[in-house]
């Protein structure tokens, strides 16, 4: 948090640092490198767990600051994107099992090692696995969608596979979206409302969508799947293993909610005379151009383009360099840390959100 706050309130330079490798090498290396580190950390503990934690925190922040801050390159030439997404999903399942067993069975025992492994694994599940599952549930392939759905189910968050595409994308920036934070709302007030609200709104959306159809309700799979995952954790590592699973899942869920909070904070769609909200526009999402974490999170920080084209594969998401999009002053993970300190968050973001609201009002008046 100290690294984040130290340089937050000055605008980032337009560009600095050497050119970075792209695209397949960057996406593959940055997202997969934590996998062996976490696996070795679960088996041996010690330096491996700490290295994974440092990689996902201070190293990521430092690389974002050293690389070009205006990274707007598109990576359309990455044909193996689906293969990487599948590999990351399978790695997530294996790592979740391994970490639950490592701590639940006592393979890793020192308080420092357990803490480092829990934090590192939770950050990987929250920033990489969540981003990957989000990518998969937007794919048209039924197989890829199911894989992403089960990544969320394994993190006890299966309802997101329904609520995100059917509620968030439809109602983003309005009161009907539980995952769009209002100006001045703290993350802590937002998080509980968003979790509960998205669960219920997703259920209603699925129920309406399936009216007149046969078959089981998707929420049955989400709930029963979560219970099955918890039962497997208990069988594998006892009640301690179940506690580890729940803790990891809650940590990963909190990071997804932080991303939603940061990426839409204070950006509202105005209601027209007919009572309908204006169309979703690029100005309704915050974006980040930072090179390292945009690869680590599979271009999730290019959020405006994702809302404009939800089915567009992550390598093809674009980020114009013409200043037409709301931009975060630091990377998405760094701003998520800042959101945990509401006074600092509001100092950084409220003026920016008001400026974009005024700009949107000016466009509508014109």
């Amino acid at each position: 948090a100290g690294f984040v706050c130290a340089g937050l309130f000055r605008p980032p330079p337009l560009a600095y640092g050497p050119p970075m490798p792209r695209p397949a090498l960057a996406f593959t290396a940055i997202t997969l490198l934590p996998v062996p580190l976490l696996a070795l950390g679960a088996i041996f503990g010690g330096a491996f767990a700490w290295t994974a934690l440092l990689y996902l925190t201070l190293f990521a922040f430092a690389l974002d600051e050293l690389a070009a801050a205006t990274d707007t390159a598109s990576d359309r030439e990455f044909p193996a994107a689906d293969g990487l997404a599948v590999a990351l999903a399978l790695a997530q399942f294996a790592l979740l099992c391994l970490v639950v067993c490592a701590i639940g069975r006592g393979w890793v025992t020192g308080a420092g090692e357990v803490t480092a492994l829990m934090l590192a694994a939770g950050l990987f599940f929250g920033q990489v696995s969540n981003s990957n599952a989000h990518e998969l549930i937007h794919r048209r392939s039924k197989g890829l969608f199911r894989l992403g759905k089960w990544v969320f189910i394994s993190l006890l968050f299966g309802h997101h596979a329904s609520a995100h595409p059917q509620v968030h994308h439809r109602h983003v920036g309005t009161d009907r979206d539980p995952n769009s934070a209002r100006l001045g709302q703290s993350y802590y007030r937002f998080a509980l409302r968003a979790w509960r609200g998205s669960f219920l709104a997703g259920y209603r959306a699925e129920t309406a969508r399936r009216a007149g159809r046969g078959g089981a309700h998707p929420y049955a799979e989400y709930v029963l799947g979560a219970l099955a995952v918890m039962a497997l954790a208990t069988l594998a590592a006892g009640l301690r293993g179940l506690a580890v699973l729940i803790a990891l899942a809650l940590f990963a869920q909190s990071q997804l909610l932080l991303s939603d909070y940061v990426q839409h904070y204070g950006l509202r769609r105005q209601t027209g005379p007919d009572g309908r909200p204006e169309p979703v526009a690029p100005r309704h999402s915050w974006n980040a151009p930072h090179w390292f974490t945009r690869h680590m999170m599979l271009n999730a920080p290019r959020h405006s383009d994702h809302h404009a084209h939800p089915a567009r594969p992550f390598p093809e998401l674009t980020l114009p360099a013409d200043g037409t999009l709301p931009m975060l002053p630091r990377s998405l993970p760094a701003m998520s840390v800042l959101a945990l300190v509401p006074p600092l968050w509001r100092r950084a973001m409220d003026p920016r959100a008001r400026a974009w609201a005024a700009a949107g009002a000016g466009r509508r008046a014109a």
Side-chain angles (χ1 to χ4, degrees):
F3 276 93
V4 176
C5 297
L8 179 63
F9 303 115
R10 58 178 175 83
L14 291 180
Y16 49 90
M20 308 303 287
R22 336 179 0 247
L25 176 62
F27 279 117
T28 303
I30 291 172
T31 56
L32 288 180
L33 183 56
V35 174
L37 292 175
L38 288 168
L40 291 170
I43 296 170
F44 300 110
F48 294 111
W50 285 106
T51 301
L53 179 58
L54 290 172
Y55 175 87
L56 291 162
T57 54
L58 295 183
F59 182 80
F61 181 79
L63 262 289
D64 276 338
E65 293 297 295
L66 292 173
T70 53
D71 175 25
T72 60
S74 177
D75 300 317
R76 299 172 187 271
E77 67 273 26
F78 184 20
D82 286 355
L84 176 60
V86 171
L88 285 169
L90 297 179
Q92 190 265 350
F93 297 139
L95 284 175
L96 184 60
C97 179
L98 193 58
V99 173
V100 166
C101 288
I103 299 176
R105 292 184 175 183
W107 302 349
V108 177
T109 56
E113 292 179 332
V114 169
T115 300
L117 183 58
M118 284 289 290
L119 289 175
L123 286 169
F124 179 81
F125 299 148
Q127 296 183 12
V128 181
S129 292
N130 273 336
S131 297
N132 187 51
H134 167 261
E135 171 70 17
L136 289 168
I137 64 170
H138 278 290
R139 294 302 182 88
R140 294 187 175 93
S141 163
K142 292 183 178 179
L144 293 178
F145 173 84
R146 291 192 187 101
L147 186 60
K149 174 180 64 178
W150 272 95
V151 171
F152 282 129
I153 290 173
S154 72
L155 297 173
L156 314 182
F157 208 58
H159 71 272
H160 196 69
S162 291
H164 178 77
Q166 296 182 47
V167 179
H168 177 64
H169 272 269
R170 182 178 179 183
H171 301 298
V172 63
T174 73
D175 291 341
R176 297 187 66 182
D177 177 32
N179 291 69
S180 293
R182 284 182 167 274
L183 185 70
Q185 184 180 33
S186 74
Y187 166 71
Y188 303 102
R189 291 183 60 191
F190 164 84
L192 290 176
R193 171 183 175 270
W195 204 108
R196 179 180 179 275
S198 64
F199 185 93
L200 295 175
Y203 178 82
R204 289 192 292 266
E206 280 287 6
T207 301
R209 188 174 71 92
R210 297 184 61 79
R213 300 183 185 181
H217 196 288
Y219 268 57
E221 184 178 9
Y222 304 153
V223 174
L224 293 176
L227 292 174
V229 171
M230 290 191 288
L232 288 173
T234 306
L235 289 173
L239 291 178
R240 188 178 181 186
L242 175 61
V244 172
L245 170 69
I246 293 173
L248 287 170
L250 290 175
F251 188 24
Q253 292 171 23
S254 71
Q255 292 172 81
L256 187 151
L257 294 174
L258 272 169
S259 291
D260 280 343
Y261 176 81
V262 170
Q263 289 176 309
H264 296 289
Y265 176 79
L267 302 177
R268 310 296 289 181
R269 292 160 63 192
Q270 298 300 309
T271 302
D274 58 357
R276 301 176 62 182
E278 63 178 318
V280 179
R283 66 178 180 276
H284 296 129
S285 300
W286 293 102
N287 301 268
H290 301 81
W291 179 85
F292 190 86
T293 50
R294 75 102 166 166
H295 283 90
M296 186 175 76
M297 302 182 76
L298 302 178
N299 272 345
R302 297 185 169 188
H303 210 56
S304 290
D305 195 34
H306 168 67
H307 271 275
H309 308 95
R312 178 173 286 176
F314 70 88
E316 298 182 13
L317 294 175
T318 60
L319 187 65
D322 56 7
T324 59
L325 303 180
M327 301 295 286
L328 296 169
R330 287 292 179 269
S331 68
L332 177 55
M335 296 305 295
S336 296
V337 172
L338 195 74
L340 299 175
V341 188
L344 294 180
W345 169 259
R346 293 196 62 187
R347 177 183 169 188
M349 293 302 297
D350 282 17
R352 290 177 167 87
R354 290 193 185 99
W356 278 100
R363 290 191 188 94
R364 289 189 298 274

